[in-house]
Amino acid sequence: MKKVTTSTLMKMKQQGERISVITAYDASFAKLFDEQGMEVILIGDSLGMVLMGEDSTLPVTVEQMAYHTRSVRKGTQRALVVTDMPFMSYATTEQAFANAAALMAAGAEMVKLEGGAWLLDTIAGLTERGIPVCGHLGLTPQSVHKFGGFKVQGRDQQAASQMLEQARQLEQAGIQLLVLECVPRELAGRISQALNIPVIGIGAGVDTDGQVLVMHDMFGISANYMPKFSKNYLAVTGDIRKAVTLYIEEVRNGSFPSDEHSFS
């Protein structure tokens, strides 16, 4: 199968084909996900919680992200490899350039940043320097203390309008992919329709251009808790490969996420 690129994802959006994304942190699982047909593999700073046992993503370092990126890239041939930039690794444009370069050197093909308007200059600078960027709006886990916990974002009209405007600004600045986390389904659908780039949801309903899950949640083995927006595919199938295949199928046919995995 052909290598997945940002152009592949754009074409999928234009043709109405939904995109499947999952996190991975090592070569073995990356190879399994790649062979099953996953379009995007994300090395998430979620590793702080699911691998390290932390109660947030904040303690994760650039060096740790680079280590896991190298591992994932060695197991991946087809899928697009995206790496989270961890907390405070892009507080200034200079930090962002240096740390993004380190992650790209480790094997990332795109970096993901959390935040809105304050990132516009950084995103423009990264894209000008040949580094593809994925944005992230809604519940941004690196801002968990600011939000007062893991809470749904964009429920009131003002917050929803602001998120839509920020999404448009991020696209204009140069992002080629956008993740929406814990956002009401209707708002996520509006944002997906307003942007030309693909929008990937997690707890954002079925009306986005694709879905992403943390692999530990999808297999029902997360140490802390199972989010409302996740589904234990391993419990349904009893087999890891079948679980991955079913997840991809349900994303593509629009049966996941259902209302029980979404917010209003």
Side-chain angles (χ1 to χ4, degrees), residues 1-5 8 12 33-40 75-81 109 252:
M1 294 184 286
K2 291 184 178 180
K3 172 72 177 143
V4 175
T5 66
T8 308
M12 290 181 71
F33 299 148
D34 194 61
E35 290 175 345
Q36 298 303 112
M38 203 74 63
E39 278 84 34
V40 181
T76 307
Q77 293 186 350
R78 174 180 175 269
L80 182 73
V81 176
E109 296 168 309
R252 289 178 179 168

Side-chain angles (χ1 to χ4, degrees), residues 21 29 31 33 36 49 75 85 118 121 126 140 147 151 169 174-175 204-205 216 227 229 264:
V21 187
F29 273 109
K31 185 173 186 291
F33 299 148
Q36 298 303 112
M49 302 174 77
M85 294 191 68
W118 70 275
D121 289 342
L126 287 169
T140 47
F147 294 145
K151 299 179 179 179
Q169 290 175 340
I175 66 167
H216 291 68
F229 54 71
S264 58

